Amino acid sequence: MDQLPATGLLRDDVTEQFGVVWSQIKAPLIVPLLRLAVLVCLGMSLMLFIERVYMAVVIVLMKLFGRKPEKRYKWEPIKDDVELGNLAYPMVLVQIPMYNEKEVYQLSIGAACGLSWPSDRIIIQVLDDSTDPVIKDLVELECKRWASKGINIKYEIRDNRNGYKAGALKEGMKRSYVQHCDYVAIFDADFQPEPDYLWRTIPFLLHNPQIALAQARWKFVNSDECLMTRMQEMSLDYHFTVEQEVGSSTYAFFGFNGTAGVWRISALNEAGGWKDRTTVEDMDLAVRASLKGWKFVYLGGIKVKNELPSTFKAYRYQQHRWSCGPANLFRKMVMEIIRNKKVSLWKKVHVIYSFFFVRKIVAHIVTFVFYCVVLPATVLVPEVTVPKWGAVFIPSIITVLNAVGTPRSLHLIIFWILFENVMSLHRTKATFIGLLEAGRVNEWIVTEKLGDALKASKVANKVHKKPRLRIGERLHLLELGVGAYLFFCGCYDVAFGKNHYFFYLYAQAIAFFIMGFGYVGTFVPNA
């Protein structure tokens, strides 16, 4: 019976000791560090705010003055020449890199073979890095099927996967028949261009010798599949509707998206070709080509169908690569950009500060550190306050400016904010891995795709049960840890706080818990 009071006394003693230690280190250490963190986060928020407002102003001016690519650059249809015949048309190579793409290989190969262009002036090159022999046989058989129809299609394999996608593209460019090609169009395995894609893009390159790249927009075929894909659509639509348009219309620079674009082969070679030093080989090539003085044009009116990741696991891997790669490339290229003498000072500032530092580094870090770590911490340390303009007004304006790219999803903006804040945890971690060249810096996991599997299952009226997942796969400890921290801060705010942050803290904690316990993107609904 004496055991219970002793346990209670011990607990009270530990709590008292913790309170004493906290009071001793709070004033001299915690408060100054937290104030510094708030100042740094407010500075980063202002940088992001100014960048977002600047891009919004540029977009509005573009709409008002109708600065379409056809007005900024020469564009006219390619005309037939009686004497030259089909030789009047440039030779085009179409590359399709793939890796165990069982669900989508037929879609991508079929779309590429369906491109409208003189048959003797186009080569379809399937670069198959598949390690599954069954899938390799299926892809090869599909290529032979199209070849029997008169399509000039080449099935290329290699005995290793060195360099992943960059290595495959680089190896493909070494083939002898590529020497006769003027341009190369690249489509990832889940991309399906419309038949008139080349007729609408090639004239920009043909009539404007300073342009190296014509980039089309992505169109998501499964954006309505679930709430997670709707959230992805909102984030990516801003990238295509605003960031790409601004880069194309002002500095004629933006990051190549790795697919749905046409390159001038001479520009690609002059820039040094494909390199596998980071996981963003597309951005690497674009920066190097830009430093050689080449320009890019973004064609938002041309949309190429593709697929968004349908599972949280696939989306996390994709976001790790997309966040880690740019940070690592920035580390590798910043001095090369500074020392470059071929481009203007303003273009250097745009690439280093705006494109890399603010959008690829600051945007990820401030979202997580400020809204999920520092702001909640001020609840525990009331001596440190965050001005309303920094805690409410600036984040609200940035959020609205981000969301206007997808008007149909404005009613989901609260869910989008919570989802993006959870994802910022992984993006921030990946950004630091890239900057520090830590363990997973070169990790490359191909994003899982479903292709027509969802449609086929609906047509067949099959009923699929939610797959069983092991505990290790289902639980995400980082999300659960941050969720617990936010929930604790929310409870503390209810008891002792005055800023009413608990509304946000509880909502964000629930979002972290939902994703931490694996209740988002673990299976495809109705599949």
Side-chain angles (χ1 to χ4, degrees):
M1 293 294 293
D2 293 334
Q3 205 63 20
L4 290 173
T7 305
L9 287 172
L10 181 63
R11 188 184 300 113
D12 291 340
D13 188 46
V14 171
T15 305
E16 187 178 342
Q17 286 182 359
F18 177 79
V20 171
V21 172
W22 173 253
S23 61
Q24 287 179 341
I25 65 172
K26 185 178 178 181
L29 181 64
I30 302 298
V31 172
L33 285 177
L34 190 56
R35 279 182 179 150
L36 177 62
V38 168
L39 284 175
V40 172
C41 288
L42 288 175
M44 290 193 292
S45 292
L46 277 173
M47 292 165 66
L48 190 59
F49 172 74
I50 292 169
E51 178 74 8
R52 292 290 189 261
V53 171
Y54 157 73
M55 289 195 289
V57 170
V58 172
I59 289 297
V60 171
L61 292 175
M62 282 178 57
K63 298 294 183 183
L64 289 175
F65 293 101
R67 281 178 55 83
K68 294 182 178 180
E70 292 83 357
K71 291 187 177 181
R72 298 199 310 271
Y73 298 102
K74 182 180 178 182
W75 189 96
E76 60 183 37
I78 302 173
K79 297 176 182 177
D80 291 331
D81 190 306
V82 178
E83 293 183 5
L84 292 175
N86 284 348
L87 292 177
Y89 297 87
M91 193 76 179
V92 179
L93 173 71
V94 178
Q95 289 185 312
I96 310 173
M98 56 177 57
Y99 172 74
N100 293 338
E101 309 284 3
K102 183 181 180 181
E103 303 293 349
V104 295
Y105 75 94
Q106 286 181 309
L107 295 174
S108 58
I109 294 174
C113 292
L115 287 168
S116 174
W117 199 254
S119 58
D120 59 338
R121 305 299 292 168
I122 185 172
I123 303 172
I124 312 296
Q125 187 186 64
V126 177
L127 303 167
D128 189 14
D129 269 0
S130 299
T131 52
D132 187 325
V134 175
I135 297 176
K136 287 183 84 166
D137 290 342
L138 289 172
V139 175
E140 185 176 12
L141 190 64
E142 183 71 6
C143 291
K144 288 179 178 178
R145 189 172 72 84
W146 281 104
S148 67
K149 295 182 179 182
I151 301 296
N152 188 2
I153 185 168
K154 309 288 186 183
Y155 176 71
E156 304 288 1
I157 59 173
R158 52 187 184 141
D159 56 6
N160 60 70
R161 285 195 68 219
N162 294 342
Y164 303 108
K165 179 181 173 182
L169 293 169
K170 184 177 182 180
E171 194 68 27
M173 295 300 291
K174 293 178 181 179
R175 299 296 182 261
S176 58
Y177 52 82
V178 176
Q179 297 174 8
H180 306 291
C181 297
D182 304 290
Y183 308 111
V184 54
I186 302 166
F187 300 103
D188 282 352
D190 59 317
F191 278 72
Q192 305 159 53
E194 295 296 328
D196 64 350
Y197 175 86
L198 295 177
W199 293 110
R200 299 177 67 185
T201 54
I202 295 294
F204 281 101
L205 299 164
L206 188 63
H207 301 306
N208 302 276
Q210 76 275 31
I211 294 179
L213 165 69
Q215 172 73 60
R217 183 174 173 170
W218 298 3
K219 179 182 178 181
F220 311 110
V221 297
N222 64 331
S223 57
D224 290 328
E225 192 173 275
C226 60
L227 186 59
M228 191 184 77
T229 53
R230 288 289 290 271
M231 302 297 99
Q232 293 178 58
E233 181 192 36
M234 290 179 73
S235 300
L236 286 169
D237 273 354
Y238 178 81
H239 170 69
F240 287 108
T241 307
V242 179
E243 290 181 344
Q244 298 285 78
E245 287 282 9
V246 171
S248 178
S249 63
T250 54
Y251 298 93
F253 171 79
F254 51 86
F256 173 44
N257 296 318
T259 178
V262 185
W263 275 92
R264 187 186 301 275
I265 291 180
S266 59
L268 192 153
N269 291 333
E270 185 186 342
W274 295 102
K275 292 186 179 180
D276 58 6
R277 55 182 174 173
T278 70
T279 56
V280 283
E281 72 295 321
D282 43 12
M283 189 182 293
D284 188 348
L285 175 61
V287 174
R288 284 184 281 114
S290 179
L291 294 179
K292 293 290 184 181
W294 289 97
K295 292 183 177 181
F296 311 147
V297 59
Y298 172 67
L299 308 173
I302 303 175
K303 299 179 181 180
V304 180
K305 292 186 291 186
N306 72 297
E307 183 182 321
L308 292 164
S310 298
T311 65
F312 185 48
K313 180 181 179 182
Y315 187 54
R316 282 177 65 183
Y317 282 132
Q318 182 201 67
Q319 291 303 298
H320 173 85
R321 191 171 78 245
W322 285 7
S323 302
C324 178
N328 190 233
L329 183 62
F330 175 70
R331 170 189 170 125
K332 287 178 171 11
M333 290 203 71
V334 61
M335 292 310 298
E336 183 180 341
I337 297 169
I338 292 171
R339 289 194 293 263
N340 184 273
K341 297 179 181 178
K342 280 195 174 184
V343 298
S344 66
L345 175 62
W346 287 113
K347 192 165 186 176
K348 290 181 185 179
V349 171
H350 170 70
V351 175
I352 293 175
Y353 174 79
S354 182
F355 179 77
F356 272 117
F357 188 63
V358 177
R359 297 185 209 169
K360 309 300 181 186
I361 297 174
V362 167
H364 300 326
I365 294 174
V366 73
T367 304
F368 176 68
V369 173
F370 191 21
Y371 304 120
C372 299
V373 178
V374 173
L375 194 64
T378 60
V379 170
L380 308 176
V381 187
E383 294 90 340
V384 181
T385 58
V386 179
K388 278 190 176 180
W389 61 265
V392 179
F393 300 138
I394 281 184
S396 299
I397 295 172
I398 290 175
T399 300
V400 171
L401 291 176
N402 274 330
V404 293
T406 315
R408 77 186 189 99
S409 297
L410 282 175
H411 63 290
L412 299 173
I413 196 167
I414 299 299
F415 296 102
W416 180 73
I417 292 169
L418 299 176
F419 178 77
E420 282 294 291
N421 285 353
V422 175
M423 289 309 303
S424 70
L425 164 65
H426 299 286
R427 293 179 184 133
T428 299
K429 183 178 72 169
T431 298
F432 280 116
I433 288 173
L435 289 172
L436 301 174
E437 285 200 317
R440 293 174 60 198
V441 68
N442 289 317
E443 179 184 72
W444 181 290
I445 297 176
V446 176
T447 305
E448 182 185 2
K449 307 169 189 76
L450 296 178
D452 276 344
L454 190 62
K455 295 179 185 176
S457 64
K458 287 180 179 178
V459 172
N461 200 26
K462 295 178 181 177
V463 178
H464 288 260
K465 294 182 178 180
K466 187 174 179 179
R468 293 180 180 178
L469 297 173
R470 289 177 295 181
I471 294 296
E473 294 178 349
R474 185 68 182 265
L475 296 180
H476 305 294
L477 296 182
L478 277 176
E479 283 92 338
L480 293 175
V482 176
Y485 166 69
L486 290 168
F487 186 78
F488 172 75
C489 292
C491 293
Y492 192 91
D493 192 43
V494 169
F496 307 106
K498 298 177 181 179
N499 292 321
H500 302 292
Y501 285 163
F502 64 87
F503 290 108
Y504 160 73
L505 293 171
Y506 280 147
Q508 191 64 69
I510 291 169
F512 270 98
F513 284 140
I514 289 172
M515 298 174 83
F517 281 115
Y519 283 104
V520 170
T522 53
F523 73 106
V524 181
N526 302 321

